[in-house]
């Protein structure tokens, strides 16, 4: 029986600050006994996280946050693997192809930052920041490192948002295809942070083959959380909670700290039951 779970956490395999060992330590300090590692488009740190969790009496669910496109908008899918089928060669090749597209994307964003905003950084500067998968926080950090006096949130909202002329989508995978790909490797599939989706209604999104919805998220208002829980029940989905912890910058107000939101009681029991079925 578990008491408190945070199911949206990033490590330094993608755009998080902490190693799996450091992340497990934070989880322990914050009273969590079950978590998921959900790095962007990679499972690189999952096995190490599971081992560290065993050593610290914390269950670590192998997970991923997959980037997809729906209605020409970025939609993130949280996948929670029920076994080790995520190690499948074809699935890992699929993730490697996404990584290659991220490299192209980063180079193009660097070029666009100069073209549209006269921000001059080098791709090599971004590479120096990134330890694993290259993502937007690494580009933001490279901008700050280059001496530009912008706040973290301003950089994301102005230069790196989906609506910015500098923004470039990564490999275009439809949300429906992303769901199907994850289910083929025996993952539970959850709609990540629906509060961030602007071009599609929650009804449209939940009509897709999601198993659950991330109803508890740091920036959700009480009204939004209540609506998402109601919609989850209406569409027969379970709910999850996730802090979306990255830990890269103290001025990053779009994400939470480890365990700042969590799943507990009946909702946690239902999710774990689905995971173990």
């Amino acid at each position: 029986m578990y008491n408190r779970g945070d199911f949206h956490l990033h490590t330094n395999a993608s755009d998080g600050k902490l190693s799996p060992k450091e992340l497990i330590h934070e989880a322990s300090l914050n009273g969590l006994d079950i978590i998921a590692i959900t790095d962007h488009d990679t499972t690189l740190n999952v096995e190490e996280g599971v081992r560290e969790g065993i050593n610290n009496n914390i269950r670590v669910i192998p997970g991923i946050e997959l980037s997809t496109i729906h209605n020409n908008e970025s939609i993130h899918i949280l996948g929670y693997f029920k076994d080790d089928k995520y190690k499948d060669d074809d699935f890992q090749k699929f993730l490697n192809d996404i990584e290659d597209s991220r490299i192209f994307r980063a180079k193009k964003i660097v070029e666009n930052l100069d073209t549209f905003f006269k921000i001059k950084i080098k791709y090599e500067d971004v590479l120096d920041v990134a330890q694993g998968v290259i993502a937007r926080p690494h580009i933001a950090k490279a901008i700050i490192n280059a001496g530009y006096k912008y706040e973290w949130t301003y950089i994301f909202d102005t230069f790196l948002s989906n609506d910015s002329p500098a923004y470039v989508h990564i490999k275009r995978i439809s949300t429906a295809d992303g769901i199907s790909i994850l289910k083929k490797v025996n993952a539970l599939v959850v709609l990540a942070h629906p509060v961030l989706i602007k071009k599609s209604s929650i009804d449209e999104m939940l009509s897709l083959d999601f198993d659950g919805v991330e109803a508890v998220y740091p920036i959700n208002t009480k009204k939004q959380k209540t609506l998402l829980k109601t919609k989850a029940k209406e569409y027969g989905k379970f709910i999850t909670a996730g802090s979306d912890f990255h830990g890269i910058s103290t001025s990053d107000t779009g994400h939470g700290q480890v365990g700042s939101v969590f799943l507990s009681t009946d909702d946690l029991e239902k999710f774990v039951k689905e995971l173990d079925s």
Side-chain angles (χ1 to χ4, degrees), residues 16-194:
K17 180 180 180 180
L18 303 185
S19 68
K21 184 175 183 178
E22 292 167 331
L23 181 65
I24 299 303
H25 178 68
E26 285 296 312
S28 180
L29 289 177
N30 288 285
L32 299 170
D33 54 3
I34 181 168
I35 66 170
I37 289 178
T38 55
D39 280 310
H40 291 285
D41 305 319
T42 183
T43 59
L44 188 62
N45 273 351
V46 159
E47 288 187 70
E48 182 183 347
V50 171
R51 289 195 301 270
E52 288 294 333
I54 291 170
N55 293 336
N56 290 272
N57 296 315
I58 294 175
R59 179 174 176 181
V60 177
I61 300 164
I64 195 168
E65 185 172 10
L66 189 66
S67 304
T68 69
I69 300 291
H70 184 78
N71 284 348
N72 203 35
E73 181 178 24
S74 179
I75 304 294
H76 288 182
I77 303 174
L78 292 164
Y80 302 105
F81 302 106
K82 303 175 76 168
D83 51 34
D84 65 356
K85 287 184 181 176
Y86 66 88
K87 298 178 184 178
D88 175 79
D89 288 344
D90 287 341
F91 182 63
Q92 290 300 320
K93 182 181 183 302
F94 164 73
L95 296 182
N96 287 336
D97 289 344
I98 293 178
E99 184 176 359
D100 289 342
S101 77
R102 280 185 175 273
I103 293 170
F104 169 82
R105 173 210 199 195
K107 290 179 178 178
K108 187 61 178 175
I109 289 176
V110 167
E111 179 183 321
N112 288 349
L113 285 170
D114 186 13
T115 300
F116 295 106
F117 299 108
K118 306 304 179 187
I119 293 175
K120 298 184 182 295
I121 59 173
K122 298 178 181 177
Y123 170 71
E124 288 74 19
D125 299 332
V126 179
L127 207 57
D128 285 343
V129 174
Q131 298 180 43
V133 171
I134 299 172
R136 283 182 286 178
H138 304 128
I139 299 173
K141 187 68 164 58
I143 291 172
I144 292 170
N145 289 350
Y148 291 94
K149 305 300 183 183
Y150 299 119
E151 289 292 325
W152 187 270
T153 302
Y154 181 82
I155 291 173
F156 265 86
D157 290 347
T158 307
F159 308 131
L160 299 178
S161 73
N162 293 1
D163 297 323
S164 167
Y167 181 75
V168 178
H169 285 296
I170 61 170
K171 185 176 181 179
R172 297 181 73 88
I173 303 155
S174 74
T175 300
D177 284 346
I179 292 171
S180 177
I181 288 166
L182 287 172
K183 291 201 169 188
K184 284 179 182 177
V185 287
N186 206 20
L188 289 177
V189 182
V190 170
L191 177 64
H193 40 59

